[in-house]
Amino acid sequence: ISHNRKRVFSSHQATILLFLHGNLIPSSFIIIIHSNLSLTMTAATALSQDQLRDILSRSLSPDAAARQHAENALLASQTAPGHCITVLRLVASNEAADGPVRQAAAVHFKNMVKKGWAPNSGGAHGDDHDADAEFRKHAVPAQDRDVIKNHLVELMCTVPPQIQVQLGESISLIAASDFPSQWDNLLPDLISRLDNRDWSVVNGVLVTANSIFKRFRYVQRSDALYKDILYVLHRFQEPLTELFKAINAQLDAFTAGNNVAELRPRLAALRTICRIFYSLNYQDLPEYFEDHMEEWMAGFAKHLEYVNPHLEDNDEENEPG
């Protein structure tokens, strides 16, 4: 079979797609098999960063065939050791031309985590055997996992907001299975960035923390649940309270100066902080928050009375009905 060509071989039991485009996949074809037969597949082959960039570029093509070939290539390589790390290196790229590709890489990484970090971590339902088989098909290699967890928060804090959202969701997906018992540096990594001067970083950290702690609202009370809540409270309750107080203290100054650019990210942070407060107090009222109730209630009362015409949306319907 010559370069830049594809052939599809079909039978009543199997369809085998062989695809080779230039040097995209080193030394082998990408083989995607849909079959009821028991077939032995070749181990996934890792891509270089340049190869991955090219494939992700093709995944954005308006041509459906090109997109399908790219998706097949990604599927064939995603379980190769080091593939996730290469994807994150591309996400971290600062080359201006890589903007759409970086976004595609971040989405690809999130989808790999969703399907391949833990069985049913993406919320799949159905037969356990089928679910396990699907997980093995997409499983993130064990040797990549510690590297990912040690660097993912730092990376999230250095990328543009639209990419930050994807990495924040990826952190939440991993945390659903690994936090806190298998990811004890996650909370310290998040907390250390709450005093960052870049409010996109602060808001990214808060949104991520909110998505992690939200599960405290929806699970049945148990010793294991309270153990996890206490773990979070002992580390997060004080920095959260200090941030809440600091933003409240800044509101008056920025409101008086009509500094909308400074107000918007702070108000967004307050909104997320209130959601985190709700999650941490949902099961029971922790002693720390009981002791600091005056600061929190004074802040909430201030928010209920806060009015700033410069932040009002004239197109928003305020009338009931």
Side-chain angles (χ1 to χ4, degrees):
I1 303 175
S2 62
H3 287 298
N4 303 321
R5 295 182 62 191
K6 71 171 184 179
R7 294 184 183 178
V8 178
F9 300 82
S10 300
S11 73
H12 64 286
Q13 290 181 310
T15 299
I16 301 176
L17 172 65
L18 303 178
F19 169 61
L20 178 65
H21 194 296
N23 63 348
L24 286 183
I25 303 302
S27 73
S28 66
F29 292 115
I30 295 170
I31 304 178
I32 306 298
I33 300 178
H34 305 283
S35 176
N36 294 324
L37 297 176
S38 296
L39 299 177
T40 301
M41 296 187 67
T42 304
T45 305
L47 301 169
S48 71
Q49 189 167 321
D50 287 340
Q51 291 167 341
L52 180 62
R53 180 185 288 108
D54 191 24
I55 289 173
L56 286 169
S57 295
R58 294 172 188 276
S59 74
L60 303 174
S61 170
D63 180 70
R67 290 197 307 273
Q68 186 62 57
H69 291 160
E71 290 166 7
N72 290 345
L74 292 172
L75 179 62
S77 301
Q78 67 182 24
T79 57
H83 178 74
C84 286
I85 310 303
T86 304
V87 172
L88 291 179
R89 288 197 185 103
L90 188 54
V91 171
S93 169
N94 287 321
E95 296 182 26
D98 278 347
V101 171
R102 291 174 70 192
Q103 177 73 13
V107 173
H108 174 52
F109 177 78
K110 181 187 71 175
N111 289 336
M112 286 191 293
V113 168
K114 187 174 183 179
K115 294 180 180 179
W117 195 271
N120 294 323
S121 62
H125 299 283
D127 184 81
D128 288 343
H129 177 75
D130 292 342
D132 289 343
E134 184 69 11
F135 167 69
R136 289 193 299 272
K137 177 180 171 184
H138 299 279
V140 175
Q143 57 265 54
D144 292 348
R145 293 179 178 232
D146 284 344
V147 177
I148 290 170
K149 290 190 288 189
N150 286 336
H151 297 282
L152 193 53
V153 171
E154 180 180 1
L155 178 58
M156 182 191 72
C157 294
T158 62
V159 295
Q162 66 272 22
I163 298 177
Q164 191 180 84
V165 169
Q166 302 298 330
L167 297 185
E169 290 181 16
S170 300
I171 291 171
S172 300
L173 289 166
I174 297 172
S177 65
D178 286 19
F179 177 78
S181 61
Q182 299 176 61
W183 199 357
D184 57 1
N185 63 321
L186 173 59
L187 215 49
D189 278 355
L190 293 172
I191 292 169
S192 69
R193 290 164 173 82
L194 286 177
D195 59 356
N196 196 294
R197 294 187 178 184
D198 184 345
W199 279 94
S200 68
V201 171
V202 175
N203 277 305
V205 167
L206 289 172
V207 168
T208 301
N210 177 54
S211 65
I212 295 170
F213 304 154
K214 193 183 296 184
R215 69 183 176 92
F216 295 155
R217 307 180 197 175
Y218 307 123
V219 292
Q220 187 174 0
R221 293 185 178 188
S222 66
D223 290 343
L225 172 65
Y226 279 110
K227 181 180 178 181
D228 287 352
I229 293 175
L230 285 173
Y231 175 92
V232 170
L233 286 170
H234 289 161
R235 291 157 179 81
F236 206 76
Q237 59 194 8
E238 184 173 355
L240 184 72
T241 302
E242 292 304 313
L243 180 61
F244 179 74
K245 290 161 56 179
I247 298 175
N248 281 321
Q250 296 167 5
L251 284 185
D252 291 338
F254 289 123
T255 300
N258 295 328
N259 195 334
V260 174
E262 293 290 347
L263 280 170
R264 288 191 187 279
R266 286 168 172 80
L267 291 171
L270 283 174
R271 184 174 185 234
T272 310
I273 288 172
C274 291
R275 293 181 174 187
I276 293 173
F277 178 87
Y278 180 65
S279 295
L280 297 182
N281 288 270
Y282 186 88
Q283 297 288 345
D284 201 353
L285 179 60
E287 181 179 353
Y288 179 89
F289 287 119
E290 186 174 1
D291 292 343
H292 292 79
M293 190 62 66
E294 183 177 349
E295 295 105 307
W296 282 95
M297 293 303 113
F300 292 153
K302 182 176 184 175
H303 303 161
L304 290 172
E305 298 175 353
Y306 184 78
V307 177
N308 188 334
H310 296 284
L311 294 170
E312 291 180 3
D313 185 351
N314 294 327
D315 295 327
E316 184 177 357
E317 294 184 7
N318 294 317
E319 295 296 328

